[in-house]
Amino acid sequence: DAGVTQTPRHEVAEKGQTIILKCEPVSGHNDLFWYRQTKIQGLELLSYFRSKSLMEDGGAFKDRFKAEMLNSSFSTLKIQPTEPKDSAVYLCASSLVPGREEYSAETLYFGSGTRLTVL
Amino acid sequence: GDSVTQTEGLVTLTEGLPVMLNCTYQSTYSPFLFWYVQHLNEAPKLLLKSFTDNKRPEHQGFHATLHKSSSSFHLQKSSAQLSDSALYYCALVASSGSWQLIFGSGTQLTVMP
């Protein structure tokens, strides 16, 4: 089974550049998440889509970070302009929408991430 | 609001000793909790999750018990293995109904020979 696919695996950018990260969720999954991972902050939610609709836009990340989901099988995360403090691993994850049962919750499947270095 | 606290950033222990990684939470409604594990250069993946009937989840020798009285979901294993060295995240399903996960800051477990 194909898992979550993220490209590129590594990205190096100059300060001020625009970069676009890509994600293909698990086929059939309805929820898609973008996280930023750093040693200090751990996993920080950037964006959250349900059935292609933006549910959460990450608050503090709104000004330079923009995630889009043009179809159910592809999402992008644009960072514009990049700053050195954006250096981190960016993880994409997907899951099924949980069932109607109040106490059920579905597993989150993560991609291998994109390691971004901003010089 | 909902939150997850992992007090230990780094845990180092010797192979064969028991493991306990702490996780406490705050949740408006009845909580649903997860442990995710991330080995070096790999994606995080689910290790185990809490059950609604309070059964104790177990996987790969790890288990965790949801204690609502103390708002805890500590991860335990009776005997650590070298291959258990990894980053462990505790996570909570948000009470807001959006089903997004709220992650703790993570605990890096290093098992020494």
Side-chain angles (χ1 to χ4, degrees):
Chain A
D1 288 339
V4 176
T5 303
Q6 288 189 251
T7 55
R9 288 298 306 272
H10 301 274
E11 178 80 61
V12 179
E14 297 281 343
K15 178 183 172 182
Q17 270 187 279
T18 296
I19 62 105
I20 297 177
L21 310 181
K22 304 178 183 70
C23 173
E24 295 174 38
V26 174
S27 178
H29 280 188
N30 311 88
D31 281 359
L32 185 138
F33 302 83
W34 283 98
Y35 288 93
R36 183 170 78 173
Q37 184 180 34
T38 60
K39 284 188 177 170
I40 296 173
Q41 301 290 342
L43 288 166
E44 300 173 280
L45 181 68
L46 300 174
S47 288
Y48 162 39
F49 293 88
R50 168 159 294 172
S51 300
K52 302 186 295 180
S53 296
L54 183 64
M55 307 294 287
E56 180 79 39
D57 64 3
F61 296 96
K62 280 163 72 169
D63 59 342
R64 296 183 299 108
F65 292 73
K66 184 179 170 77
E68 291 186 315
M69 197 160 186
L70 299 177
N71 61 58
S72 60
S73 58
F74 186 70
S75 176
T76 59
L77 175 67
K78 181 192 288 187
I79 309 176
Q80 178 185 38
T82 52
E83 297 181 7
K85 65 181 180 181
D86 299 332
S87 296
V89 175
Y90 290 82
L91 291 166
C92 178
S94 70
S95 67
L96 285 170
V97 176
R100 290 186 176 276
E101 295 80 14
E102 181 182 354
Y103 299 106
S104 70
E106 297 292 343
T107 302
L108 211 56
Y109 292 86
F110 284 88
S112 297
T114 295
R115 182 174 294 279
L116 173 65
T117 303
V118 182
L119 306 174
Chain B
D2 299 323
S3 65
V4 176
T5 302
Q6 293 179 252
T7 52
E8 311 124 328
L10 183 64
V11 171
T12 303
L13 47 77
T14 304
E15 188 179 17
L17 289 180
V19 179
M20 187 163 101
L21 305 184
N22 292 325
C23 172
T24 56
Y25 65 88
Q26 280 190 298
S27 178
T28 308
Y29 300 112
S30 191
F32 205 87
L33 286 130
F34 298 75
W35 277 100
Y36 279 81
V37 59
Q38 184 178 25
H39 288 92
L40 190 62
N41 296 324
E42 293 183 10
K45 58 186 178 184
L46 180 69
L47 180 60
L48 48 80
K49 60 183 179 181
S50 60
F51 288 105
T52 56
D53 59 2
N54 290 325
K55 279 195 315 187
R56 189 177 81 168
E58 294 192 30
H59 186 62
Q60 297 179 348
F62 285 95
H63 63 268
T65 303
L66 181 60
H67 289 289
K68 294 182 182 178
S69 58
S70 57
S71 299
S72 67
F73 191 59
H74 304 322
L75 183 68
Q76 293 178 274
K77 187 175 184 182
S78 58
S79 175
Q81 297 177 286
L82 296 176
S83 57
D84 294 331
S85 295
L87 181 58
Y88 292 81
Y89 286 104
C90 184
L92 170 73
V93 175
S95 301
S96 60
S98 64
W99 296 101
Q100 61 174 287
L101 289 182
I102 296 169
F103 285 90
S105 53
T107 298
Q108 178 66 49
L109 174 66
T110 301
V111 181
M112 310 286 286

